[in-house]
Amino acid sequence: MCGIVGYVGPRPVQPLLIGGLRRLEYRGYDSAGMAILEEVGVEITRKAGRVADLESELEGRISNGTTGIGHTRWATHGAPNTTNAHPHADCAGSVAVVHNGIIENWADLKADLIEAGHLFRSETDTEVVAHLIEDRADLPLDEAVREAMRLAEGALALAVVRNDEPELIVGARRGSPLVIGLGDGENFLASDIPAFLEYTRRMAVLDDDRIVAVRPGGITISDLSGTIVEPVTREIEWDLDSAEKGGFPDFMLKEIFEQPKAIRDTLRGRLDSDGLVRLLELELDVEIARSFDKVFVVACGTSFHAAMMAKYAIERWTRLPVEIDIASEFRYRDPILDGNTLVVGISQSGETLDTLAAVRYARAQGAKLIAVTNVVDSAMAREADAVLYTRAGPEIGVAATKTFTTQLIAMQLLALWLAHARGSLDDAVIQNAVKAMFALPDQVEEVLRQSDGIREMSEQWTDRRDFFFLGRSAAFPVAMEGALKLKEIAYLRAEGYPAGEMKHGPIALIEEGVVVIGVATNSHVKGKMLSNMQEMRARSGTILLVLTEGDTEGEAVADEVIFVPWAPELLSPVTAVVPLQLLAYWLAKQRGLDVDKPRNLAKTVTVE
Ligand code: AGP
């Protein structure tokens, strides 16, 4: 997730781009940059860090240019430094490109371009587009971009300028967002509406596989074959605050709804032509993968719940023993580690001190470290022998939502990759698991459509203070995560517990007024789970069950049900956790709480 802004018109473009980038900073803040068409040609300024750092870099330089593009970066390929900051240029410096998304076949394209004599300056996938356009210097810019779009695979939103067409920006879109702001004698291009809302309320959406030529006097949209497409325009009714949140009242709800896209991005490009898992960036030798005799997964909070889930997947698929540890406990218990131990650290931020200290300790004992993180080049990514990025995009709400579901996916990809490398699973089993993963984004979308129903259901529980979240096997981490969400944003007492363990003590707490939420999706222990829920019902608890669609047996045990689509047991946590995120969200809202900034919490915890 990055932010793109572009402008053509009569105004000086530099302050306009800075303003737009500030409004898009929520989309990424690893670096920022801009390209302005000056009389001498394309002038590029870039800086690692936030938009404020770019502003300092520009200090004292006043541009008269009135056409330009800007970018704020959330790194996916290459470290978040100035060299990798956008815009990227071709060899001659006459083309400038900004990009949001992932070009899956960038490595192949880059190899061909290098062989043809192109000189690359960055580690990004984006730079290939600048060189592809350079190779088509004889074509009008929109034609050159169209050809580049035909060659590039994956998700892309592009904005491109070229020296010889000083009043033109060409935009292109596939998968990543791009909207056009329509002004009077001026026009805008951006990843999101807030970038231009100050100047115009009239907009056009660019559909997938469309190219747009943006000039001061108007726009021309065409498809990949060059056929002109009529733009569909509309008036924007949002104010600036709701526009920044995509029309959602808070970042948390926006991020819950971003999960289908986030999961698609996590999966993107991570399959080979045989339908097996390909983790190119892991750069871990297959021989090393075969040498492991034990795995530890360490993490905190929500990331620890992803670790719990990973234990089931890695053990079932690789038959390697897996230990999971709360990171703050790990190094104080003197764990047994050596050169044949794999340690996986999971951390959204990659900066959580407890997790960092745990993985540093493990490396010092000779263990190999894989980091699973959302932040490129974060401290944990730099510590690791190999990194797997979750690619959820920036998460602003303190409560982890989309980063959790993408951690679940990333860990399953890792487990399947390990299983293949070690020969512990037939290809057909891996292919089936992968196929089921690709169905998940649509399935999550189906669950999200129940948001209003979950809000209505939660309204009957606004005066309840005690909640239990129960699950067994792979549903147990989901129960833990549901309880954590409710605690941290709604400030309600919520226990996450393995359902079978309730009879050993906590069942004494079940009485009328206690809400017991059971996760009883597809599982080899679902029958036992339903029996445990009967026990809660017999003690007068109010029962809500998360069930697989069509489960009438489960429905008979519950006062309320939420159905989710069928998924294989180890993948069902991805769909099952979404209603629990929504439930916590709506209960917190009914209590009038600020879900994005819950009391006493910080997004990243850098103290021990
Ligand atoms: C989750 O909603 C919490 N905000 C918190 O538990 C978080 O998951 C934990 O602090 C770990 O953070 P990390 O993933 O960035 O390491």
Side-chain angles (χ1 to χ4, degrees), residues 1-7 14 16-25 27-36 44-52 54-55 58 68-77 81-82 84-88 96-102 124-126 156-160 176-178 189-191 195:
M1 192 147 123
C2 301
I4 290 177
V5 57
Y7 172 83
Q14 183 177 310
L16 219 138
L17 292 179
I18 288 288
L21 289 177
R22 271 205 222 105
R23 302 246 181 253
L24 294 179
E25 218 170 13
R27 301 180 63 84
Y29 34 77
D30 289 331
S31 62
M34 60 173 66
I36 298 181
I44 295 179
T45 313
R46 308 176 300 166
K47 191 72 187 159
R50 308 191 77 119
V51 177
L54 176 67
E55 270 186 280
L58 286 163
I69 53 177
H71 187 269
T72 176
R73 179 167 185 243
W74 175 259
T76 56
H77 286 84
N81 53 29
T82 301
N84 291 329
H86 298 213
H88 290 284
V97 177
V98 292
H99 164 223
N100 169 30
I102 297 162
T124 64
D125 52 343
T126 307
L156 22 173
L158 298 171
V160 186
S176 302
L178 204 57
L189 193 64
S191 302

Side-chain angles (χ1 to χ4, degrees), residues 300-303 347-349 352 398-400 407 484-485 488 605:
C300 304
T302 289
S303 299
S347 171
Q348 180 283 128
S349 59
T352 300
V398 164
Q407 283 170 349
L484 178 60
K485 289 287 91 89
E488 67 178 336
V605 184

